[in-house]
Amino acid sequence: MSAWVASTGFDDIPADVVASTRLRILDVIGLSIAGGETPFGAGVRATASAWPGTAARLWGTGGTASAAGAAFVNGACSQALEYDDTHNESIVHMSSPAVAAALALADETKASGRDIVTAIAIGNELSCRVGSVTPQQFHKRGFHPSGLFAPFGVCWLAGHLLGLDAGQMSRAAGITGSFAAGLIQCWVDGTQSKFLHPGWAAQSGIIAATLGKNGVTGPSEVFEGRFGLFASHLQAADPEPNFDRLTVDLGVRWDSRASSFKPFPVAHVIHPYIDALLRLRARHSLTPDMIERITVPVAPYIVSIVCEPVEEKRRPNTDSHGRVSIQYTLAEALALGRIGKDAYAENSLRDPVILALADRVEFMPDPGMPGSEQFKGVVEIVTRDGRSWTEIEEHNHGSPQNPMSDAAIEAKFRENVGGVLSEDQASRVVGMVMGIETVPDASALSALLVPAHG
């Protein structure tokens, strides 16, 4: 893997991967700026003093920090709204830490736009491949895939930008295994620690690469070894880890192509259910008082993520709690007709109409539903007068099979930076990102992310 990174340049990246990488940069910048305006984001930004320095910018502010510190802050803020892209099979949020780390390093090293695109594409590909060794196995054991797998992608990304050779990168990847971490106990009570994981991955990958460059060693069998990542965290995996996923056709088949942008700020597996439900709502003019029940067949692997415990999911404590609840999310979507940037507001979380409707959302584990390689949604609605309808969304909107348009991703960016960047600033950012590979010094991009009032 390290040898591949060391030998890969911009011209080796397929044109469609370059194009999607541009959009991922734009998306993550917008998400981080929006997330920074939340109470969570304010708390994270306030910690920047722990990483003093002027090397890298804190997006959407006039502040700076060390490269590792800015990567942490910008990466963590980018997941505050649960709105960042996902690799379907591994359920890794790969772009948030990759973009945060790459642009922080660009501020420090003055790397070119070509190098930034190359590094992010490399980092995303390897995060996805590490996560695909044992898909669906980590969530059910209480681990967040993004916290465990994305640090490795960022390590190789940073190794590319810092000029490490293959041996140094291999040592750095071994070190990264001791930094990879991420528990999801916060899903039980709706607290915020999961949102830190992209920031932790961004920081950890940079630090591991720097240590490897300076001669610190790490185990070469960090994945497949007796006490490696998979043996230590899974104990007994079923099926067994498929380590071929790490290297087979590396550089020929790009697994990261099977990644989805998000049109809704909610756990990705819920997305196709939202689209199916909103179509039924519009088609039949449905209102909460008309509903007898809403039934959703679900793939068994998502039950522990967004369906159970049932009472916990029907009565989320906080917005972050609601974003991983299929019952509450579908109730709010039907009641309000949307799930947008303003979803999961405090008044909605306590709305008796929405909560009563959440009590009428029932899930049914269905082994016939696809695994995480395809996010499919089926919604069955029965009304109190005895009518019933079923709607199916075969692929989530934002996936390669049902893509968001470039214009939709740009509109999402503009909405997310609204109130922080001016319309002119937003347009200049869009223009630079869409031609990022022509920019000789990518730190010019971060310079555009300081608000006029900041």
Side-chain angles (χ1 to χ4, degrees):
M1 296 168 81
S2 295
W4 174 71
V5 175
S7 65
T8 296
F10 180 82
D11 292 337
D12 300 308
I13 311 298
D16 66 303
V17 176
V18 171
S20 69
T21 299
R22 293 189 205 107
L23 293 172
R24 298 187 200 287
I25 293 170
L26 188 69
D27 193 39
V28 171
I29 290 171
L31 295 174
S32 184
I33 290 175
E37 298 300 299
T38 66
F40 168 80
V44 171
R45 284 174 171 175
T47 69
S49 60
W51 298 277
T54 59
R57 296 184 183 274
L58 307 179
W59 304 336
T61 79
T64 60
S66 68
F72 175 83
V73 172
N74 294 333
C77 288
S78 67
Q79 217 200 21
L81 299 178
E82 196 70 61
Y83 215 177
D84 48 335
D85 66 357
T86 310
H87 179 241
N88 284 37
E89 184 176 8
S90 63
I91 320 186
V92 170
H93 298 283
M94 72 289 179
S95 294
S96 294
V99 173
L103 293 187
L105 286 170
D107 284 352
E108 182 177 66
T109 67
K110 312 306 178 187
S112 70
R114 284 168 63 95
D115 281 341
I116 292 303
V117 170
T118 304
I120 293 171
I122 285 170
N124 280 354
E125 178 66 16
L126 294 178
S127 292
C128 296
R129 282 177 173 261
V130 176
S132 299
V133 169
T134 53
Q136 307 170 25
Q137 295 296 308
F138 280 78
H139 270 122
K140 66 185 181 182
R141 289 170 170 84
F143 295 115
H144 185 205
S146 301
L148 291 174
F149 308 140
F152 291 98
V154 174
C155 171
W156 274 299
L157 171 161
H160 174 83
L161 291 175
L162 295 174
L164 275 65
D165 62 33
Q168 291 170 320
M169 288 188 204
S170 181
R171 291 192 290 271
I175 294 167
T176 302
S178 292
F179 294 162
L183 300 182
I184 50 176
Q185 176 65 17
C186 56
W187 280 0
V188 174
D189 57 6
T191 46
Q192 299 167 327
S193 54
K194 172 181 177 284
F195 300 154
L196 298 170
H197 298 165
W200 181 253
Q203 172 191 259
S204 297
I206 289 174
I207 292 174
T210 304
L211 289 167
K213 183 175 184 178
N214 290 324
V216 179
T217 62
S220 61
E221 293 188 339
V222 67
F223 297 126
E224 72 274 29
R226 179 159 50 104
F227 300 121
L229 180 73
F230 294 93
S232 63
H233 284 69
L234 297 184
Q235 305 296 318
D238 183 20
E240 288 288 314
N242 177 12
F243 292 111
D244 285 347
R245 291 301 301 273
L246 295 173
T247 57
V248 169
D249 293 331
L250 184 58
V252 177
R253 184 190 75 244
W254 288 76
D255 284 11
S256 53
R257 284 173 167 145
S259 302
S260 300
F261 288 93
K262 279 189 174 184
F264 304 116
V266 53
H268 228 140
V269 294
I270 302 178
H271 281 219
Y273 295 92
I274 298 171
D275 275 321
L277 178 125
L278 290 177
R279 284 201 297 272
L280 287 174
R281 181 187 189 273
R283 190 178 302 146
H284 303 290
S285 302
L286 297 174
T287 56
D289 59 294
M290 298 169 61
I291 306 302
E292 177 67 27
R293 68 178 179 274
I294 300 171
T295 303
V296 288
V298 300
Y301 81 93
I302 78 168
V303 170
S304 63
I305 303 175
V306 296
C307 302
E308 287 184 344
V310 171
E311 286 308 310
E312 184 181 295
K313 298 300 185 182
R314 286 177 171 165
R315 295 294 183 273
N317 293 329
T318 63
D319 68 308
S320 56
H321 220 191
R323 295 178 201 277
V324 290
S325 165
I326 197 168
Q327 293 94 329
Y328 175 83
T329 296
L330 294 185
E332 181 173 328
L334 193 140
L336 302 183
R338 65 185 186 280
I339 292 289
K341 182 183 175 184
D342 59 347
Y344 309 99
E346 182 64 24
N347 60 333
S348 297
L349 293 171
R350 307 293 168 246
D351 187 323
V353 173
I354 295 176
L355 295 179
L357 185 56
D359 289 339
R360 301 198 292 279
V361 178
E362 303 172 355
F363 73 91
M364 178 179 63
D366 181 355
M369 293 288 279
S372 57
E373 71 282 353
Q374 177 186 345
F375 298 158
K376 176 180 178 178
V378 180
V379 175
E380 303 168 357
I381 293 181
V382 176
T383 57
R384 286 175 168 158
D385 61 6
R387 293 178 294 165
S388 64
W389 302 279
T390 298
E391 184 73 10
I392 299 173
E393 181 81 339
E394 286 289 345
H395 296 275
N396 58 294
H397 188 204
S399 65
Q401 298 85 359
N402 183 14
M404 291 177 68
S405 67
D406 292 5
I409 294 170
E410 179 181 335
K412 176 185 171 184
F413 164 79
R414 290 180 179 275
E415 179 185 20
N416 281 325
V417 301
V420 179
L421 302 184
S422 68
E423 284 291 325
D424 177 65
Q425 284 178 296
S427 295
R428 290 166 62 198
V429 172
V430 171
M432 184 173 288
V433 171
M434 290 301 99
I436 188 66
E437 66 271 26
T438 68
V439 176
D441 177 358
S443 68
L445 177 56
S446 292
L448 297 179
L449 305 179
V450 179
H453 58 76

